[in-house]
Amino acid sequence: MEMPPNNLKQAQVLEGAELLMNPNGSAPGQWLETVIRTADGHTHRRLLILLPGPPNELKALFTQEVRPRLADVLPPSFLARRVLRMALIPESTVDARTAPIYRRFTDVETTILAGHGEIQLHFLCAKSTQEEAEDRVDQLVELIEREMGDDIFSSDGESLEEIVLLMLGLRGLNLSVAESCTGGLLSERLTAIPNASRNFLGGAVVYSNDLKVGLCKVPAKLIQQNGAVSPEVARALAEGIRERTKASLGLSITGIAGPSTLDGPDEGKPVGLVYIGLADEEDTQVKRFMIPGDRNRIRLWATQHALEMLRHSLQ
């Protein structure tokens, strides 16, 4: 393959630099070490490291060539990381409750990330030994967990769906779902987890009223009287899918995710109105939610509410 002329710039080397050969690309890295003398007579060692931008090239080059060299010139440092995850809590609320704690740990870097219906607290600590770094992060996490309590669904970075499936497994239960406005998104999230089939039987996307009646045995009269988006239908969907699949638990979602031409009992109901039902062999609970945002946000948050509702019921 003939080399384009503009690739010649990849052969430029800083004077005095050592080439770091790139196993995954044509642009090498460079390591340049210089000594600088300041006006007061002190000398300082300065390192300049140049690496190619593509991640598959940069990461391999850093691991194979840069990290060993840095280990020879820098004092040893060990990192401890931890991620706490909470669902459906405002970022400002989490920060107001946790900032007085994490600000006392000046040697632990704390980052708050918000999005997709959850808050994440990331902790990072560097110490001269791994044990010291882990211990310091553990101290902070223990205090945060004491403050936030059951609002924390994961202290090791697991997703909400992972935690729910784990809890189902620990209790020897299985789950089926009936989804209307979320169109299978809840099932998609659950089945993205390896071995979900141990505790997730499956479900039905009952978008039309005919399927609600045919697959989940929702009485047609119930829909005519109350509308498909109603607590009565959410209850019937959860109980119907549970009975149909012989599952331990039935979980349902029905709502309005975007502008529609609904008529009859559902006419005039606001966008973002969602009902979620959860049925077991003894009882059925139904909760009402008003979720702001566009269609995608409403659908995502509806599944988040459903998983969080299920998690609390399993505690």
Side-chain angles (χ1 to χ4, degrees), residues 10 14 20 34 64 83 109 145 177 201 215 217 236 298:
Q10 295 185 6
L14 295 174
L20 308 177
T34 58
Q64 297 173 18
V83 179
E109 181 180 324
E145 289 179 332
V177 302
L201 299 183
L215 291 179
K217 302 181 181 179
I298 293 169

Side-chain angles (χ1 to χ4, degrees), residues 217-233:
K217 302 181 181 179
V218 177
K221 188 176 181 180
L222 198 67
I223 298 176
Q224 293 168 3
Q225 291 176 343
N226 303 285
V229 183
S230 63
E232 294 82 4
V233 169

Side-chain angles (χ1 to χ4, degrees), residues 4-58:
N6 62 352
N7 269 24
L8 283 173
K9 62 183 179 182
Q10 295 185 6
Q12 295 176 350
V13 181
L14 295 174
E15 185 177 351
E18 177 185 357
L19 284 181
L20 308 177
M21 300 314 297
N22 182 356
N24 298 319
S26 56
Q30 297 183 50
W31 172 285
L32 179 60
E33 183 173 346
T34 58
V35 176
I36 297 176
R37 184 178 298 275
T38 60
D40 57 6
H42 291 90
T43 59
H44 299 275
R45 191 176 183 181
R46 177 176 292 177
L47 295 175
L48 177 65
I49 303 166
L50 303 182
L51 297 174
N56 69 313
E57 299 181 32
L58 185 149

Side-chain angles (χ1 to χ4, degrees), residues 71 87 138 150 179 181 244 247 274 283:
D138 288 343
D150 290 340
E179 301 182 64
C181 65
R244 182 90 179 206
V274 174
D283 190 26

Side-chain angles (χ1 to χ4, degrees), residues 240-310:
I241 196 65
R242 177 183 175 274
E243 179 184 347
R244 182 90 179 206
T245 61
K246 310 302 180 185
S248 308
L249 300 169
L251 186 60
S252 68
I253 304 176
T254 181
I256 303 173
S260 64
T261 57
L262 294 174
D263 53 15
D266 285 323
E267 186 176 3
K269 292 180 180 178
V271 172
L273 175 63
V274 174
Y275 290 97
I276 298 174
L278 177 60
D280 59 24
E281 61 182 6
E282 297 179 353
D283 190 26
T284 302
Q285 55 177 307
V286 177
K287 291 187 177 182
R288 177 186 185 274
F289 300 94
M290 275 302 306
I291 304 173
D294 60 16
R295 188 178 193 86
N296 289 335
R297 187 179 190 275
I298 293 169
R299 294 174 67 241
L300 175 62
W301 279 62
T303 63
Q304 196 79 342
H305 278 293
L307 290 170
E308 185 71 346
M309 183 173 168
L310 178 57

Side-chain angles (χ1 to χ4, degrees), residues 75-80 124-134:
S77 181
F78 296 85
L79 296 177
L124 178 65
C125 181
K127 294 292 183 181
S128 57
T129 67
Q130 190 67 45
E131 293 76 13
E132 188 179 2
E134 296 286 353

